[in-house]
Amino acid sequence: MSIFAQSPLHTVGREEKSDCLIELQLASSGGRAIKVHSSVQELYGNQIRITLESALDFFAISHGKLVIRDFGALDHVLKARIEAAVRAACGDQVPALLPEPRIALPPKPASRLRRSRLYLPGNQPDLALNAGLFQADAIILDLEDSVAPPHKAAARILVRNTLASIDFGRSERIVRINPLSSPYGQDDLLQIVAAQPDTLLIPKCENAVDIRSVEERVSQLEQTHGIDRKISFMPLIESARGVMMAQEIAFASERNCALCFGAEDFSADIGAERSQEGKESLVARSLIVLAAKAARIQVLDTVYSDVENITGLIESTRESLQLGFDGRGVIHPSQIRPIHDIFSPSAEQIEKARLIIQAVEEAKSKGSGVAALGSKMIDAPVVARAQKVLSMARAAGLLEPDRES
Amino acid sequence: MEWKKNAVGRLVPLEIDGKQLKPFEGAYADQGGGRQTGARICAAASYRDKMLKSIDEAIDACKIQDGMTIGFHHHLRNGDILINLVMEKLAARGLKDLVLAPSALFPTHEKLVSYIEQGVISHIEGSMNGPVGRACSLGKMKKTAVLRSHGGRYRAIQDGDLKIDVAFIAAPCADSHGNANGLHGPSACGPLGFALADSLWAERVVVVTDHLVPFPCFPWSIEGGHVDFVVTVDTLGDPSQIISGTTRITRSPTRLLIADYAAQFVRDSGIMTDENFSFQAGAGGVSLAFVKYMGEMMREKGVIADFVRGGSTQYMVDLLENGLTRFILDGQSFDLDGVRSLRENPNHIETNPFVSYNYHTKGCFANRVKVSVLGATEIDLDFNVNVNTHSDGWLLHGIGGFTDAADAQVTIITAPLVRNRVPIVVDSVTSVTAPGEMIDVLVTEYGVAINPRRLDLLDRLNKSAIPVLSIEELHNRALQMTGEPEKPQFTDRVVALIEFRDGTVIDVVRQLQTKS
């Protein structure tokens, strides 16, 4: 009888490209048996074996059987999958096996554009590898709706390692955690806060307590890990109750940087069919815009789910802009450019803003309190708007350096 | 065996299987001056009935014997059943040591592996992929395979390097005289140009059709005057595998980004000019998207191409029908729109490898193409390109038209930096298909690298938004992600020669040492 017969077999990962499936069965004696099957056997078979051996050493596992079916998983993925398998077998007390080398944490700007935020399913490593190349203003590694319950535990380890080893360029690094009221939210925070994403997207927010309880736990963890770079919050409102409480949600925390609206859950919640033109959510979206703007934070519209229909995306996004939104969700990189075009100031707007600021400065240098452009007097709100246009243009890379001065 | 280092630094043998070989000396070192071979002279003394009742009758009539070379074309692609059918009948007759000379093979031809193992086929000259390539990598062929480009195959036949004894030409539409085209019938595939050289130089030519029409079958891509016999069969293959109903652009964000960068490069580097603009792109995921993006940019800038070079697809046909190109010069059709357009539009022109690709001519149009966009399995720091083997050493692809199309004025390689952990930019390619001197630009999702030989292109790019890196930077970037791979282990045995388009040997493929 096999010595492995008594202990359960733990299976983690996926048989998909850039990923791997790991089967781990612990034993009390008999040493370790590691079997490597890989699509890149000839090129990386030995390295994969070494990674697995040293991972088992790290977790102090001396006896058991480990089988890997690899489809080109990179090192941080291999390590995430083996750690998840060990956690499944040994419980959640095991230490984190972080990938090396780790990327340098990009600086966190005081303000940023959030015209587009690209959603990526947290348990699919292939999509994250190149995600930083598409120039999205933000990338969301999702642990919530796109990850089925049996994969939640493995996904959060993978997302943690992804944050540590993938360079997302200038994109804001956001993780959508599970609600704290679910069985997964607390464990998500435990792994994710230490990896220092820029922002947490908090789903299914319905009141201020939903934000404050996350804040409390995040502050504790930041203190434990000695992190002085505060993680920002994006409350996601996707129910009738949430919409009616949008104001208190928006004001619930200093960490709030934007409110987001989720149309799919919202329309289900009010018992309406989600339509192309979005009539069913018009009032809800307007209420959320008002709440966010009252709290002086940004407000971001829902995703447009028909990837093939770029014309529809453009129409719908023009409406978002009209309603006061600062950006919207993206489920395919091909949606990014049209959205950026809409949420960025046009060449004419930039030119006009530049002339306004120029006129104001000229007036100032002449000691005059009143500036005019042509025959029109320039008053304070016009100056403020012009400044906003220029700062958006600068952030969007639309201003040539010699034109900034 | 005597070896010599060739112009891309690869050791190649000077003789193999009793054949003298010439090492590669440079892409344009060969200045011609040889002689073409001649075809057998027949006589049309009186009317002769060419119709035979079956493939078996054709095999009898052609007197196929051990050691003969049998030619096929690949216009029916993965839908072809003729190659398997003919080889099955030859195997059943106990024939041995046949040389199979297809212009390409597909996964559907996996069955040939058993004929290779049984010694029915001694080796392949031309092209192979997938399962047959794997068998070759394992050393299963008795003799050394020869890989040739489409233009190289035509040259080899015309120059007498590859003597085809019997050519079986799958013809979607033919008459009893042997005139044939690929435009009509249930197996319609578009052009039939890859069979032209076979029809002109093979000792015996058999046209096989599943759609016999009354004489004359016109246009005649294959002329009846070259054809010995005509055989009808119930079907030539599976239409859904011959051409796809529609070709769809990839949804892979990475591939779309590469295509976008390639099109932006063509626009921003000044290659896309108001006059004398032309380009070639294939039917791969990146290429289709490139054609679409290129069309959008041409429309925006009011550019009309003199011609575009297919493989034709709906995206090329769109360019023609929307007045964005004056002609399509088509080597093969990949979808129904391509076939329809070739049939109906006089500006959609069928081509063959003689006019498009052959180096031993008084001019083929490959070097009139302004820019060619091609894929690769590997590219190295010298810009040498490999399209035949993978980094793990397996021979998995034919050359296709690669080396010929790389003759364009600007040749762009599009490839992801990493494919499932395998770096595509390497220090030295596993095998060289085309020399770096023919390759001008590499476009990846991380940006473009320009061959230092083409600093003129680099200068023109300074206003472009595309990231420009050195190929060394791209290489380092890939290795940071993947780690340094191990090298595959080979035995000393050469299993295939990679022939350059001028007939010289640019590299060899060795037998893989398989771990038991």
Side-chain angles (χ1 to χ4, degrees):
Chain A
M1 194 173 130
S2 162
I3 52 160
F4 301 119
Q6 306 303 322
S7 53
L9 180 73
H10 299 280
T11 306
V12 160
R14 297 150 65 248
E15 290 187 90
E16 303 284 344
K17 64 177 180 178
S18 305
D19 206 343
C20 64
L21 188 84
I22 283 182
E23 292 171 352
L24 177 67
Q25 193 172 22
L26 299 183
S28 50
S29 63
R32 300 198 299 222
I34 295 181
K35 184 95 190 127
V36 176
H37 308 278
S38 173
S39 65
V40 288
Q41 193 90 27
E42 285 90 347
L43 303 175
Y44 292 102
N46 289 331
Q47 286 182 48
I48 292 170
R49 182 173 293 278
I50 290 167
T51 302
L52 297 180
E53 291 276 7
S54 52
L56 291 181
D57 287 346
F58 177 83
F59 294 116
I61 291 172
S62 321
H63 307 285
K65 192 166 97 177
L66 193 160
V67 180
I68 180 169
R69 280 174 231 290
D70 167 66
F71 298 88
L74 296 182
D75 199 58
H76 73 278
V77 180
L78 286 173
K79 284 183 171 148
R81 295 315 193 191
I82 174 104
E83 178 179 333
V86 171
R87 281 178 186 277
C90 304
D92 248 338
Q93 289 73 40
V94 299
L97 173 62
L98 290 172
E100 296 290 347
R102 266 168 268 173
I103 52 145
L105 223 49
K108 199 175 169 184
S111 72
R112 60 199 317 167
L113 293 182
R114 294 191 173 88
R115 296 165 299 181
S116 60
R117 52 183 206 285
L118 174 63
Y119 280 87
L120 299 173
N123 205 34
Q124 283 191 42
D126 57 321
L127 298 175
L129 296 181
N130 284 338
L133 299 176
F134 304 109
Q135 312 285 324
D137 288 335
I139 284 167
I140 297 175
L141 299 166
D142 180 30
L143 295 175
E144 201 217 7
D145 282 353
S146 67
V147 181
H151 300 293
K152 295 276 189 197
R156 73 171 70 96
I157 304 300
L158 179 63
V159 165
R160 184 201 71 199
N161 280 10
T162 301
L163 286 171
S165 55
I166 300 287
D167 179 3
F168 290 116
R170 59 169 203 84
S171 304
E172 180 175 10
R173 299 142 63 251
I174 305 179
V175 176
R176 175 158 78 172
I177 56 169
N178 290 284
L180 284 201
S181 53
S182 76
Y184 316 107
Q186 288 291 350
D187 290 335
D188 288 348
L189 288 181
L190 199 60
Q191 293 301 332
I192 298 303
V193 171
Q196 301 189 49
D198 296 313
T199 303
L200 293 177
L201 178 60
I202 307 167
K204 307 208 164 51
C205 291
E206 299 202 322
N207 53 50
V209 176
D210 287 340
I211 307 300
R212 292 203 189 106
S213 51
V214 175
E215 176 158 47
E216 198 177 320
R217 185 65 182 131
V218 168
S219 301
Q220 276 172 6
L221 287 166
E222 280 174 344
Q223 217 164 14
T224 313
H225 295 290
I227 299 168
D228 48 12
R229 171 190 160 113
K230 271 194 166 183
I231 295 174
S232 304
F233 292 169
M234 270 186 198
L236 175 54
I237 295 174
E238 41 192 343
S239 65
R241 190 183 286 247
V243 170
M244 298 318 288
M245 304 297 265
Q247 186 181 341
E248 78 162 57
I249 292 170
F251 282 93
S253 165
E254 288 287 314
R255 294 179 187 251
N256 283 353
C257 61
L259 288 189
C260 295
F261 174 63
E264 210 61 64
D265 284 85
F266 173 79
S267 20
D269 188 46
I270 63 166
E273 193 90 0
R274 193 180 167 192
S275 66
Q276 284 277 2
E277 64 271 25
K279 259 186 202 154
E280 69 285 353
S281 64
L282 181 63
V283 172
R285 287 191 288 161
S286 290
L287 283 174
I288 291 172
V289 169
L290 290 174
K293 298 286 156 131
R296 302 275 183 271
I297 60 176
Q298 291 174 332
V299 61
L300 310 175
D301 205 356
T302 191
V303 298
Y304 187 78
S305 25
D306 186 354
V307 174
E308 308 276 318
N309 185 358
I310 295 291
T311 321
L313 170 75
I314 290 172
E315 259 170 52
S316 153
T317 306
R318 287 214 177 104
E319 193 192 72
S320 303
L321 177 74
Q322 181 65 33
L323 288 176
F325 284 101
D326 299 296
R328 76 179 309 180
V330 165
I331 52 172
H332 190 281
S334 62
Q335 298 179 318
I336 294 171
R337 201 181 291 169
I339 288 178
H340 281 195
D341 286 347
I342 290 169
F343 283 112
S344 307
S346 68
E348 295 87 57
Q349 285 172 319
I350 295 171
E351 184 58 17
K352 192 176 165 202
R354 216 176 50 81
L355 291 174
I356 288 168
I357 300 297
Q358 209 174 14
V360 169
E361 275 166 10
E362 267 169 30
K364 239 189 239 165
S365 69
K366 285 180 194 156
S368 161
V370 188
L373 193 60
S375 58
K376 276 190 186 162
M377 211 181 74
I378 304 172
D379 50 17
V382 173
V383 177
R385 174 172 284 276
Q387 275 163 341
K388 193 181 172 202
V389 165
L390 288 184
S391 89
M392 275 185 74
R394 202 169 295 125
L398 296 173
L399 273 193
E400 291 169 34
D402 61 326
R403 293 217 131 184
E404 280 193 58
S405 52
Chain B
M1 203 149 70
E2 218 185 319
W3 297 74
K4 197 176 171 208
K5 198 176 252 188
N6 68 13
V8 285
R10 301 282 162 142
L11 269 182
V12 297
L14 296 180
E15 189 195 320
I16 214 155
D17 299 336
K19 260 188 318 195
Q20 302 298 312
L21 304 174
K22 283 183 285 185
F24 173 73
E25 290 180 354
Y28 303 99
D30 173 9
Q31 292 293 311
R35 289 272 162 194
Q36 292 190 11
T37 192
R40 181 177 58 106
I41 293 173
C42 307
S46 60
Y47 174 77
R48 183 172 69 83
D49 183 3
K50 297 182 182 182
M51 295 297 297
L52 297 177
K53 289 200 171 54
S54 65
I55 301 281
D56 271 308
E57 276 193 12
I59 293 171
D60 288 335
C62 294
K63 302 188 178 64
I64 297 180
Q65 292 163 22
D66 289 351
M68 279 190 169
T69 299
I70 318 291
F72 295 95
H73 70 76
H74 75 277
H75 283 289
L76 303 184
R77 282 186 284 277
N78 204 40
D80 171 78
I81 57 170
L82 187 66
I83 300 181
N84 286 345
L85 184 67
V86 170
M87 295 316 291
E88 182 186 311
K89 294 196 178 296
L90 296 176
R93 289 168 182 242
L95 288 165
K96 294 279 177 210
D97 295 334
L98 299 169
V99 183
L100 181 62
S103 56
L105 291 180
F106 285 81
T108 187
H109 301 115
E110 177 164 14
K111 198 176 169 185
L112 299 175
V113 172
S114 62
Y115 304 139
I116 292 165
E117 287 168 340
Q118 292 158 24
V120 178
I121 297 170
S122 74
H123 68 290
I124 286 174
E125 295 211 21
S127 178
M128 56 190 131
N129 83 351
V132 177
R134 253 171 216 283
C136 182
S137 271
L138 291 172
K140 289 188 174 169
M141 286 183 201
K142 206 159 137 188
K143 287 190 174 176
T144 314
V146 184
L147 295 168
R148 294 191 177 97
S149 65
H150 294 325
R153 181 176 187 271
Y154 196 105
R155 181 214 59 77
I157 294 171
Q158 139 198 309
D159 292 5
D161 293 351
L162 173 62
K163 181 174 179 296
I164 294 178
D165 293 297
V166 182
F168 287 89
I169 298 177
C173 180
D175 62 28
S176 59
H177 190 59
N179 297 307
N181 66 47
L183 300 177
H184 304 277
S187 304
C189 60
L192 270 191
F194 291 126
L196 178 66
D198 305 58
S199 79
L200 298 181
W201 276 279
E203 282 293 308
R204 298 283 177 193
V205 178
V206 182
V207 161
V208 184
T209 189
D210 56 0
H211 186 65
L212 191 73
V213 295
F215 177 90
C217 165
F218 190 82
W220 42 55
S221 309
I222 300 300
E223 294 177 14
H226 299 297
V227 176
D228 292 274
F229 305 110
V230 178
V231 177
T232 55
V233 290
D234 291 341
T235 174
L236 283 174
D238 173 1
S240 73
Q241 298 282 308
I242 294 172
I243 45 169
S244 37
T246 54
T247 28
R248 278 177 63 87
I249 282 190
T250 176
R251 276 187 63 184
S252 151
T254 298
R255 286 170 185 279
L256 290 172
L257 184 62
I258 296 170
D260 189 25
Y261 279 161
Q264 283 189 56
F265 175 85
V266 171
R267 182 191 61 194
D268 297 349
S269 62
I271 297 170
M272 187 177 91
T273 44
D274 293 349
E275 284 176 22
N276 305 318
F277 182 54
S278 57
F279 67 85
Q280 165 157 13
V286 172
S287 298
L288 286 176
F290 169 81
V291 173
K292 179 165 173 271
Y293 293 150
M294 205 66 250
E296 287 167 7
M297 290 178 190
M298 287 163 68
R299 192 189 308 262
E300 199 183 300
K301 299 268 176 186
V303 169
I304 296 167
D306 285 349
F307 66 93
V308 293
R309 165 73 177 148
S312 65
T313 60
Q314 68 174 99
Y315 298 99
M316 291 235 166
V317 171
D318 280 348
L319 296 182
L320 184 65
E321 293 179 350
N322 288 307
L324 290 168
T325 181
R326 291 170 50 227
F327 292 99
I328 295 175
L329 297 183
D330 194 1
Q332 51 185 327
S333 303
F334 291 111
D335 61 22
L336 285 170
D337 278 320
V339 178
R340 171 189 57 79
S341 170
L342 178 64
R343 196 162 48 218
E344 294 169 2
N345 194 327
N347 293 332
H348 187 148
I349 297 172
E350 176 170 344
T351 69
N352 58 63
F354 178 76
V355 296
S356 58
Y357 281 161
N358 186 0
Y359 184 67
H360 281 177
T361 58
K362 294 175 180 173
C364 65
F365 69 71
N367 53 24
R368 300 186 75 100
V369 175
K370 199 90 175 268
V371 57
S372 232
V373 178
L374 308 168
T377 59
E378 288 182 326
I379 179 166
D380 68 22
L381 301 180
D382 296 325
F383 283 82
N384 292 328
V385 168
N386 173 16
V387 304
N388 297 120
T389 53
H390 282 212
S391 302
D392 56 11
W394 290 99
L395 171 56
L396 292 178
H397 310 281
I399 299 174
F402 186 92
T403 328
D404 309 307
D407 200 12
Q409 290 165 32
V410 176
T411 297
I412 297 176
I413 301 298
T414 52
L417 193 59
V418 172
R419 284 192 188 104
N420 289 323
R421 197 174 180 172
V422 181
I424 302 308
V425 183
V426 296
D427 50 359
S428 174
V429 287
T430 307
S431 44
V432 184
T433 308
E437 65 177 296
M438 300 182 91
I439 310 301
D440 303 301
V441 183
L442 166 67
V443 179
T444 73
E445 69 275 34
Y446 286 84
V448 307
I450 293 170
N451 191 330
R453 294 163 190 269
R454 293 306 301 267
L455 291 178
D456 57 318
L457 292 174
L458 190 61
D459 287 345
R460 284 191 261 158
L461 258 194
N462 53 16
K463 281 207 174 140
S464 176
I466 325 166
V468 181
L469 297 88
S470 71
I471 196 153
E472 288 81 8
E473 284 171 314
L474 285 174
H475 179 229
N476 290 338
R477 179 128 217 188
L479 289 190
Q480 271 167 22
M481 279 192 262
T482 63
E484 184 86 51
E486 290 169 56
K487 298 276 180 206
Q489 301 293 308
F490 296 103
T491 71
D492 286 339
R493 188 184 160 204
V494 172
V495 292
L497 303 173
I498 302 177
E499 199 179 272
F500 191 64
R501 57 203 297 252
D502 64 2
T504 59
V505 179
I506 192 160
D507 208 349
V508 298
V509 180
R510 286 167 202 275
Q511 184 179 338
L512 262 181
Q513 212 161 58
T514 44
K515 292 158 200 159
S516 50

